[in-house]
Amino acid sequence: QAEVGKPQRNCYTLPGLDFSYGLYLPRTDGGVPEAIGHWHSIKPRAVRALMPRDFVSMNRGAVRAGHSTAQQFNQYYKAKETRCKEEHFHLSTSPPKVPADITYGIATRPSTPFFDLLQHKYKELWMEQQRALMVTQKMGKKKVILVQQSRETRTTLLRKQPGPAKEESFWHLPHWEKVEAHLSTFPGPGARKKAFSA
């Protein structure tokens, strides 16, 4: 049985100090001494880049041959494959020629003129712009007023000289107009006259 209050002991025995863990790969290339002593370099060979297919001439030939469907065109491409000529198509393998004094990246922003900030020059420029804007707006309003004054229509005339106000008259039944009042709520005839005069 396991001891109370103690972890179980491992029952496996570890190998000795001369044991190396993992898979052993024997070196066949000589290791570091071989790399330092010799330099095995691959000689460059001239590889000619394959030019892309010339679809313009192949399509022209397929149409002349009487082909009309996509499948016939694909068969024609496989049978008579033509490539672009070097004088018509240029593969750029070298970097572009750049002048020696070119500066890459974005040009730096010029430093802020603190003297102009201290003198409130930007405020003065803004005020001048606002004044010029106000002058142009006033000139525009004057032009609009002159145009309006030159054209007189019936609406403008009616606005200037409105007609007399129409008195509002309520409609009454004609046979009730001459009937006298049957009630008098005034305390006396003097109060009645005073109320009607007011």
Side-chain angles (χ1 to χ4, degrees), residues 58-112:
M58 285 195 293
N59 288 343
R60 194 184 303 121
V63 170
R64 284 178 185 165
H67 300 305
S68 57
T69 62
Q71 188 176 4
Q72 291 172 349
F73 268 74
N74 288 330
Q75 289 174 356
Y76 185 85
Y77 294 159
K78 290 175 185 174
K80 299 184 179 180
E81 183 179 342
T82 56
R83 298 279 174 178
C84 292
K85 296 178 181 177
E86 289 188 6
E87 58 263 14
H88 298 299
F89 189 84
H90 177 67
L91 288 171
S92 58
T93 54
S94 60
K97 293 180 180 179
V98 181
D101 57 346
I102 192 170
T103 306
Y104 291 96
I106 303 169
T108 55
R109 191 172 63 88
S111 59
T112 307

Side-chain angles (χ1 to χ4, degrees), residues 104-125:
Y104 291 96
I106 303 169
T108 55
R109 191 172 63 88
S111 59
T112 307
F114 281 98
F115 193 69
D116 294 343
L117 290 175
L118 292 173
Q119 283 188 330
H120 301 288
K121 186 177 178 182
Y122 297 108
K123 181 188 128 186
E124 295 297 329
L125 288 171

Side-chain angles (χ1 to χ4, degrees), residues 26-38:
R27 295 286 178 184
T28 56
D29 56 355
V32 178
E34 183 73 19
I36 293 172
H38 301 281

